[in-house]
Amino acid sequence: MHRNVESLFRYIQKHNEYSNWEAKVWLNRNGGAGAGEQELQPAFWGTQAQRRRWLRRKFLILPGFPILFFAYKYIFV
């Protein structure tokens, strides 16, 4: 059983930070790399983060992307 000692406020704050970071990554298209950091390259056979980035870049332009993404996350993962 997982017992979280952080408050609901911290949970929401953390997810807002993640969503803001991901929005900046997609707007800048630079992989979110800051000064001195390497860019995370999209790769289907790479790490989980690389695979997510590859799938989003390839499927974001397709009609019905949300349904495909749902199927990937809840059926195949």
Side-chain angles (χ1 to χ4, degrees):
M1 177 178 271
H2 175 76
R3 297 187 187 269
N4 191 355
V5 296
E6 295 182 3
S7 66
L8 179 61
F9 173 78
R10 177 62 188 133
Y11 176 81
I12 293 170
Q13 181 184 29
K14 181 172 66 172
H15 285 277
N16 281 337
E17 290 169 5
Y18 287 136
S19 65
N20 289 341
W21 173 81
E22 190 162 2
K24 287 177 188 175
V25 168
W26 284 103
L27 287 175
N28 295 333
R29 293 285 189 195
N30 70 355
E37 295 179 8
Q38 286 185 336
E39 178 180 339
L40 181 64
Q41 295 296 323
F44 184 77
W45 299 111
T47 65
Q48 180 182 7
Q50 289 174 310
R51 188 170 30 259
R52 276 188 56 169
R53 190 158 294 170
W54 184 87
L55 285 167
R56 287 194 179 179
R57 283 193 179 171
K58 297 299 180 189
F59 292 120
L60 189 61
I61 59 173
L62 294 176
F65 169 74
I67 295 169
L68 294 171
F69 191 66
F70 173 82
Y72 170 73
K73 293 298 278 186
Y74 291 101
I75 296 172
F76 298 114
V77 173

